[in-house]
Amino acid sequence: MKYFAIKTTYSLIIFPLLHGFICGQHRIEYNHPNLKVDLGVGLWAWPLPIDYDKDGDLDLVVSCPDKPHNGTYFFENPGGNQKMPIFKPGQRIGKGPQNVQISYINGEALISTPGRLHSQFRETQFTTSTKLPLSVHFHEGKKRANQWKFADFDQDGLTDLLLGIGDWQDYGWDNAFDSKGQWKQGPLHGYVYFAKNIGTLDRPKYKTPQKIQADGKSVDVYGMPSPNLADFDNDGDLDLLCGEFLDGFTYFPNIGTPKKPVYATGIRIPVKMDLQMITPVVLDWDGDKDLDIICGDEDGRVAFIENTGKFTETKTPVFLEPKYFQQEAANVKFGALVTPVGFDWDGDGDQDLVCGNTAGYIGLIENLSGPGVEKPKFARPIHLKADGETIRLQAGRNGSIQGPCEAKWGYSTISVADWDHDGLPDIIANGIWGKIIWFRNIGTRRQPRLAKSRLVEVAWNERQKKPSWNWWNPTEGTLTTQWRTTPFVHDWNKDGINDLIMLDHEGYLAYFMGTKSSMGNILHPPRRIFHGKGEYDSAHRLKSRNPLDSPIRLNIGSAGKSGRRKFCLSDWDGDGLTDLLVNSINVNLLRNTGEKEGIVNLRDVGTLSNLVLAGHTTSPTTVDWNADGIPDLLIGAEDGFLYYHRNPRSKDF
């Protein structure tokens, strides 16, 4: 058998999705026949367009390397030669490794991971492989991506290696802004190497990898390059197209010959994905004899970027804007790192879902079933608007403590409450900047309409507080605290005025008492009234124990390790006291054991389930879809899916 041969017979191995109860928790479904939604896996999509079931059409196989949705998923194309087919729901066919790549050699699809060829992918997925004769450590320094592809680089009939390296050695990844908001460390690097095959097809032997040059300089795009060699301009030689970590495509035309490629300066293709951490694959998707791009996004979606067949004056191919593939609806999903709130947003008597996510959107997933239905029928998610514009919180160039590579992220976390006490629900939000804002509802109870955001006010009676690592100063009289944390609205003192419970600037769980004003609530400075076990990190790992009756610190970390705490308040155990449900590997219950002289004692009694839902974080909220008057738990996970956990106190549990 030749080294690159692929068997002609295979068995299709399918593992079921997580539909049933596991450890008391299960993903919620749309329960909506004929509904079409964005095709998606969990955090980070690595697309492998391939006729996986060998029925004559291109399917989508998508690897998802992160928790909890890790796996490789087969989305079946129902056929019909459609440019934008409606795919079947994904079926898990195996594990989801990092850096999986697909190459097309003489009509064969080759699947690779660093140092490995998976020549029997259809039969065994990633359980078997052939080791390639090249060290995976050929590039020195810190790697964020290590992408191995096959290509006959110099057109000599032998299959060479094309190697994309995302190098973050110069970047450092944290807390490097000066007082003017300028990033003082280096950029992300994205290098592309060529390793020439000096052996044979059956027994390859690779020379030491060399960086590919363009206009006399090493190819260096912004982060993970996802390199693709293909003849875009139909002149017989192979051009180079790269992605990047942020959001861009760079085209390097070959101005040499097929056997002696010479690459010109890279040209940016004016196409933008919705998010970042993009992974493009080049092939003729629609069968019109030009090369399209199939591109995975950070939130698990996959887009078709169509080549028009036209060229600019510089012979650069012209592409249309991305169109995200659709699938038959199965499990409810809203982006990645979803932060749900159960609330009757449209005033029709049932609890909908209002959600934030890593992209910075705030969206509505409408409950279509009415009250008392534990497994509701849900509508397709929509993005909410404020002042007529889609809400999207984003870092921009210098809004993330982790630097400019996070420009398109927003990490929206929210509460829904009548902040200004006018009888209409508003939205209070935090995000990547740590600025607490609110969107006033100026519509009606049945038809909400949001005004432009405004900053939440605090009547500081001393110097205004902010995280010590912020390069910028907050607007006077506003609230800036730790990023990516829930601003939970709750009338703690039961005076009929909304208060705010969230982390303060040093990571302590704090109480901001509210006072009515003509423009909404004005908060008092924070008080650390919640005492507990000790100091935690962002994943709720106990780092140190407090002396008795000391304030609980939910995150001891600083800068990029700060914040990241999601929680809600609810009387979970039914004892009449308000407990804290907080993110962990799943969700931990911090039971309220009583209040004395204004101090609230919280006892950490552990996770509600051993099901690991967090790579970074989870986000809890409560719902009562079965209308039994007992709060149930809904968990937003890193993968963008939502996990339901019925309260053990439920009458028919």
Side-chain angles (χ1 to χ4, degrees):
M1 184 174 69
K2 289 186 176 183
Y3 184 78
F4 288 123
I6 297 177
K7 291 183 179 180
T8 57
T9 61
Y10 67 99
S11 58
L12 187 64
I13 302 173
I14 302 293
F15 298 91
L17 280 174
L18 181 63
H19 285 294
F21 282 86
I22 296 183
C23 302
Q25 298 177 353
H26 70 284
R27 291 193 197 125
I28 65 169
E29 300 182 13
Y30 280 103
N31 300 311
H32 194 156
N34 302 316
L35 181 67
K36 310 299 187 295
V37 296
D38 288 346
L39 179 148
V41 292
L43 183 66
W44 211 347
W46 297 69
L48 309 171
I50 182 176
D51 183 5
Y52 185 75
D53 54 7
K54 286 197 167 184
D55 65 353
D57 53 40
L58 284 170
D59 309 300
L60 272 179
V61 175
V62 186
S63 177
C64 175
D66 214 358
K67 298 176 182 178
H69 202 71
N70 179 280
T72 297
Y73 296 83
F74 165 52
F75 295 86
E76 183 184 356
N77 185 340
N81 295 318
Q82 298 181 61
K83 189 178 295 184
M84 294 291 292
I86 306 299
F87 290 91
K88 298 292 183 181
Q91 300 181 75
R92 190 177 188 274
I93 58 174
K95 64 181 181 180
Q98 288 273 6
N99 294 301
V100 61
Q101 298 285 290
I102 188 168
S103 313
Y104 305 95
I105 304 294
N106 299 323
E108 290 185 319
L110 304 177
I111 309 296
S112 56
T113 52
R116 297 276 175 181
L117 169 68
H118 304 271
S119 59
Q120 301 180 39
F121 177 73
R122 289 187 176 90
E123 300 98 316
T124 63
Q125 292 75 48
F126 296 103
T127 59
T128 62
S129 64
T130 302
K131 188 177 184 298
L132 298 171
L134 181 68
S135 171
V136 297
H137 305 297
F138 68 89
H139 177 87
E140 296 182 357
K142 297 179 179 180
K143 295 190 290 289
R144 183 78 183 201
N146 190 8
Q147 303 164 310
W148 291 47
K149 302 191 77 163
F150 300 100
D152 187 359
F153 182 80
D154 53 6
Q155 301 292 283
D156 63 355
L158 298 176
T159 305
D160 312 301
L161 283 175
L162 191 68
L163 307 159
I165 298 294
D167 186 311
W168 59 281
Q169 182 103 348
D170 291 343
Y171 188 86
W173 216 270
D174 200 17
N175 195 21
F177 288 110
D178 65 17
S179 60
K180 297 181 180 179
Q182 301 297 314
W183 184 251
K184 304 308 291 184
Q185 292 172 174
L188 291 175
H189 296 287
Y191 303 116
V192 182
Y193 288 83
F194 157 57
K196 181 174 175 58
N197 184 358
I198 56 174
T200 66
L201 280 175
D202 292 340
R203 296 183 178 272
K205 181 180 180 181
Y206 300 109
K207 293 181 68 174
T208 301
Q210 301 293 317
K211 287 180 179 176
I212 293 178
Q213 305 289 301
D215 195 22
K217 301 177 182 178
S218 297
V219 168
D220 187 6
V221 298
Y222 196 79
M224 46 183 295
S226 303
N228 292 268
L229 279 178
D231 185 8
F232 282 93
D233 53 9
N234 302 313
D235 63 354
D237 56 34
L238 298 179
D239 311 296
L240 174 65
L241 184 137
C242 292
E244 64 175 45
F245 185 89
L246 189 51
D247 177 25
F249 304 91
T250 305
Y251 172 65
F252 299 88
N254 186 351
I255 56 175
T257 66
K259 293 185 177 296
K260 293 184 178 181
V262 177
Y263 294 98
T265 301
I267 303 166
R268 295 284 286 189
I269 293 175
V271 170
K272 293 290 185 181
M273 295 288 284
D274 191 46
L275 248 174
Q276 54 181 81
M277 293 169 67
I278 61 173
T279 50
V281 176
V282 169
L283 80 163
D284 181 9
W285 172 262
D286 54 7
D288 63 355
K289 309 301 182 183
D290 54 35
L291 294 165
D292 310 300
I293 301 171
I294 304 299
C295 191
D297 225 336
E298 184 258 357
D299 62 0
R301 293 179 296 162
V302 180
F304 169 50
I305 304 174
E306 184 178 359
N307 189 335
T308 65
K310 302 176 181 178
F311 297 88
T312 66
E313 292 181 357
T314 59
K315 291 291 287 180
T316 303
V318 177
F319 294 90
L320 299 179
E321 288 298 311
K323 293 181 180 179
Y324 286 89
F325 287 116
Q326 302 290 290
Q327 68 165 79
E328 297 173 5
N331 301 114
V332 177
K333 181 175 175 16
F334 186 69
L337 277 71
V338 60
T339 56
V341 173
F343 195 90
D344 182 10
W345 180 247
D346 53 9
D348 64 354
D350 55 36
Q351 285 179 300
D352 312 299
L353 294 173
V354 185
C355 305
N357 62 19
T358 188
Y361 291 115
I362 297 175
L364 171 67
I365 305 172
E366 185 183 356
N367 183 341
L368 302 174
S369 292
V373 179
E374 187 169 19
K375 297 180 178 179
K377 175 182 178 180
F378 290 102
R380 179 186 175 101
I382 61 171
H383 292 150
L384 294 180
K385 295 182 177 182
D387 196 31
E389 299 291 331
T390 298
I391 298 171
R392 188 172 186 186
L393 312 182
Q394 286 187 291
R397 179 179 58 84
N398 54 12
S400 171
I401 193 66
Q402 295 185 156
C405 76
E406 296 197 338
K408 300 194 75 167
W409 289 341
Y411 300 122
S412 49
T413 59
I414 62 171
S415 277
V416 181
D418 183 6
W419 187 246
D420 57 357
H421 304 94
D422 67 350
L424 299 176
D426 312 299
I427 293 177
I428 298 83
N430 187 16
I432 199 164
W433 283 87
K435 298 178 181 179
I436 312 305
I437 60 176
W438 69 291
F439 298 89
R440 186 185 182 201
N441 187 347
I442 56 174
T444 66
R445 187 65 187 92
R446 294 300 304 274
Q447 294 183 318
R449 183 165 62 91
L450 298 175
K452 186 178 181 180
S453 69
R454 60 177 71 175
L455 294 166
V456 165
E457 298 180 49
V458 179
W460 296 102
N461 53 19
E462 55 187 35
R463 185 175 179 181
Q464 190 161 339
K465 306 294 187 180
K466 70 167 187 175
S468 61
W469 49 85
N470 276 23
W471 65 264
W472 53 278
N473 292 315
T475 302
E476 185 177 353
T478 64
L479 178 56
T480 293
T481 185
Q482 299 202 10
W483 71 334
R484 305 168 65 170
T485 66
T486 306
F488 197 86
V489 180
H490 184 80
D491 182 10
W492 183 262
N493 60 0
K494 298 180 173 59
D495 65 351
I497 302 172
N498 284 319
D499 311 308
L500 191 67
I501 312 295
M502 70 176 308
L503 299 194
D504 67 13
H505 65 292
E506 293 181 323
Y508 290 90
L509 184 65
Y511 164 49
F512 298 77
M513 188 178 74
T515 301
K516 278 187 182 181
S517 83
S518 60
M519 299 300 291
N521 273 11
I522 294 181
L523 300 176
H524 291 257
R527 293 162 52 198
R528 296 170 180 174
I529 68 171
F530 302 100
H531 288 205
K533 196 172 188 179
E535 298 181 324
Y536 297 85
D537 66 8
S538 63
H540 202 68
R541 293 178 290 239
L542 186 65
K543 297 302 202 180
S544 65
R545 291 185 178 273
N546 278 340
L548 189 64
D549 292 332
S550 294
I552 188 169
R553 196 175 190 184
L554 283 185
N555 194 349
I556 197 174
S558 62
K561 295 181 179 180
S562 69
R564 302 172 182 260
R565 301 310 310 263
K566 316 295 195 303
F567 54 84
C568 68
L569 298 174
S570 177
D571 181 9
W572 180 256
D573 55 8
D575 64 356
L577 301 176
T578 302
D579 308 304
L580 185 74
L581 297 161
V582 63
N583 69 293
S584 62
I585 63 166
N586 192 271
V587 171
N588 271 50
L589 171 63
L590 275 61
R591 178 173 287 137
N592 185 339
T593 61
E595 182 174 346
K596 184 177 181 181
E597 297 180 352
I599 300 300
V600 182
N601 289 296
L602 300 175
R603 182 167 66 89
D604 192 344
V605 299
T607 59
L608 297 180
S609 169
N610 291 323
L611 179 64
V612 177
L613 295 181
H616 290 73
T617 187
T618 60
S619 186
T621 189
T622 56
V623 295
D624 186 20
W625 287 324
N626 58 8
D628 66 355
I630 298 171
D632 303 305
L633 180 64
L634 189 72
I635 308 168
E638 182 165 320
D639 58 10
F641 294 98
L642 297 142
Y643 295 76
Y644 180 74
H645 180 113
R646 187 189 291 176
N647 196 313
R649 297 189 293 115
S650 292
K651 297 178 176 61
D652 60 344
F653 191 81

